[in-house]
Amino acid sequence: ARAENENTLVLDNGDTIQGNYNHLFLTEEYLNSNINPMVLALTEIGYDSMTLGNHEFNYGMNILDIIKNQLEAGGTNVLCANLYKDGERVFDPYIIKECDGIRVAVIGVVTNHITKWDADKLVGYTPTNPALEVQKVIKEIKDKADTIMLLIDNIGELDALISVASFRRTLKLWCIPEFVPWTEESDTAVQLKTEDLYHPLIRNPVANSIIATGGTLVTGSNASGKSTFLKNVAINSILAQTIHTCTATSCRAPFLKVMTSMALRDDISSGESYFIVEIRSLKRILDESRKKEPLLCVIDEVLRGTNTIERIAASSQILNALRGNWLLSFAATHDIELSYILDEIYTNYHFEEEVREQEVVFNYLLQPGRATTRNAIRLLDMLGYDQELVKNAGNAAAEFERT
């Protein structure tokens, strides 16, 4: 490589001098009169630096000190910024090499778990957090090198892109999202348009398509897919804006801030009931919605922590407040009354099921309109509840509907 480009840097990332047979050469008796074969190899190749790995410490600091001296005598710098003894660094933390007039800094760190694996050989030595130590070294060399920040940024970006590419390879279907500009002066409302959107964490997902503007209210019976669909919308909005990937055939929307009120729990440590946690979560969304910036808010089971009458009354007003051409609101509820109260403000969708003799079958397909079926009492029957109890529950539900 150097023959083709003299500005090539050759770097070793550690765990080099330890191996299945190399231990034969890692004794003080041998090293006092011979050069370690791996040192000879690195010197012959012309390595610029070697960063210590955890296995370099397997044979103790006396051996490592000899290896270090042999490497540096051959022109290979040994780096480790985050190992201290008596408050001082044991090894050089970095080198700066000039390549075609550009000063390039190389920083070396080792895992701070070395004292767990080789504690008996590192008595009196202290490894620090490698990430924090790198930040510290960057401050030390910021005026000495030209490209350290650029190198770190590039390497970090490359690592992230590899992760994104690997994620995409695992998907059956994905697309690059299309972002549509939106400003407060826009006459049009924020819109989400997606086809074949599916949840990336479900093994055999069912895809759904939707064009959403303003509010979307999703109803349906238990386990029909409401919550999963809402999570799907939120997750894909985040994936679109972070790794430029959606699990869908297509996805078109502006950049959106994503806020959710889902999977809430009471907080015993702070003495807050489920309902208090819930209304705090909803108020956070309401406060954010006043900023007139594109916002996707996803709310599952609105105010389920309180009684039916107040739940419907308060939920209808909260969801009514979440409207504006900068807002996309998705809400799921079992309260079919909300689908009528908010009919002119929210577009109704639902999930449905097929009730068979001894099972309830869900197709998880999003359908237009409000839900017209229920399955809670049927599920009690299927799970073996007392038949008299099931019958009475059914009769009570019918009476409630009549009155």
Side-chain angles (χ1 to χ4, degrees), residues 270-289:
S270 63
E272 292 188 334
S273 68
Y274 177 90
F275 182 68
I276 295 298
V277 171
E278 187 175 25
I279 60 176
R280 286 189 189 280
S281 176
L282 291 170
K283 187 175 187 302
R284 176 177 55 93
I285 294 175
L286 287 169
D287 291 343
E288 188 68 27
S289 71

Side-chain angles (χ1 to χ4, degrees), residues 10 12 16-17 36-50 71 74-76:
V10 184
D12 182 81
T16 300
I17 65 168
N36 182 275
M38 291 304 298
V39 173
L40 290 172
L42 268 63
T43 301
E44 181 65 24
I45 295 171
Y47 273 74
D48 294 288
S49 73
M50 171 185 174
L71 282 165
T76 301

Side-chain angles (χ1 to χ4, degrees), residues 275 302-318 335 338:
F275 182 68
V302 195
L303 294 183
R304 68 177 172 184
T306 192
N307 64 83
T308 302
I309 293 176
E310 289 186 304
R311 179 176 64 247
I312 294 172
S315 294
S316 62
Q317 293 306 307
I318 290 171
D335 294 320
L338 289 176

Side-chain angles (χ1 to χ4, degrees), residues 138-157:
I138 288 173
K139 293 179 181 178
E140 296 173 14
I141 64 176
K142 64 180 181 180
D143 297 325
K144 301 177 183 178
D146 299 312
T147 62
I148 180 64
M149 294 305 296
L150 179 60
L151 282 172
I152 290 173
D153 288 345
N154 287 347
I155 291 171
E157 182 177 1

Side-chain angles (χ1 to χ4, degrees), residues 3-179:
E4 297 177 2
N5 185 348
E6 62 180 7
N7 293 308
T8 299
L9 289 176
V10 184
L11 311 173
D12 182 81
N13 201 38
D15 289 352
T16 300
I17 65 168
Q18 185 260 18
N20 291 334
Y21 300 102
N22 222 20
H23 69 279
L24 298 173
F25 308 103
L26 291 172
T27 64
E28 288 191 58
E29 182 180 4
Y30 177 86
L31 291 173
N32 282 333
S33 56
N34 298 278
I35 297 177
N36 182 275
M38 291 304 298
V39 173
L40 290 172
L42 268 63
T43 301
E44 181 65 24
I45 295 171
Y47 273 74
D48 294 288
S49 73
M50 171 185 174
T51 295
L52 296 179
N54 64 285
H55 286 300
E56 264 71 62
F57 296 89
N58 291 164
Y59 299 90
M61 292 301 294
N62 288 341
I63 296 293
L64 185 52
D65 191 53
I66 296 172
I67 292 291
K68 169 183 175 294
N69 292 334
Q70 290 183 357
L71 282 165
E72 293 183 344
T76 301
N77 295 274
V78 177
L79 306 178
C80 183
N82 64 319
L83 185 65
Y84 287 79
K85 185 176 183 181
D86 299 327
E88 300 289 335
R89 285 194 180 112
V90 179
F91 300 94
D92 290 336
Y94 63 88
I95 59 168
I96 295 177
K97 290 282 187 176
E98 187 167 315
C99 298
D100 198 21
I102 299 174
R103 296 171 299 171
V104 179
V106 180
I107 303 171
V109 289
V110 69
T111 172
N112 55 340
H113 296 303
I114 53 175
T115 49
K116 293 183 180 179
W117 303 317
D118 290 301
D120 58 324
K121 302 176 181 68
L122 288 164
V123 176
Y125 293 87
T126 303
T128 60
N129 184 295
L132 296 179
E133 201 68 32
V134 167
Q135 295 178 14
K136 184 177 178 181
V137 174
I138 288 173
K139 293 179 181 178
E140 296 173 14
I141 64 176
K142 64 180 181 180
D143 297 325
K144 301 177 183 178
D146 299 312
T147 62
I148 180 64
M149 294 305 296
L150 179 60
L151 282 172
I152 290 173
D153 288 345
N154 287 347
I155 291 171
E157 182 177 1
L158 180 61
D159 187 52
L161 291 174
I162 291 172
S163 297
V164 173
S166 299
F167 173 64
R168 287 175 172 178
R169 286 288 298 273
T170 68
L171 300 174
K172 297 178 181 178
L173 179 71
W174 63 273
C175 71
I176 294 175
E178 179 186 354
F179 293 107

Side-chain angles (χ1 to χ4, degrees), residues 240-293:
Q241 296 173 97
T242 53
I243 62 172
H244 211 48
T245 305
C246 284
T247 54
T249 300
S250 65
C251 187
R252 189 173 188 267
F255 283 96
L256 297 161
K257 184 170 186 176
V258 181
M259 299 188 74
T260 67
S261 181
M262 306 184 74
L264 303 175
R265 303 167 63 182
D266 58 4
D267 190 344
I268 295 175
S269 61
S270 63
E272 292 188 334
S273 68
Y274 177 90
F275 182 68
I276 295 298
V277 171
E278 187 175 25
I279 60 176
R280 286 189 189 280
S281 176
L282 291 170
K283 187 175 187 302
R284 176 177 55 93
I285 294 175
L286 287 169
D287 291 343
E288 188 68 27
S289 71
R290 298 190 183 100
K291 295 181 180 180
K292 296 188 177 181
E293 298 171 353

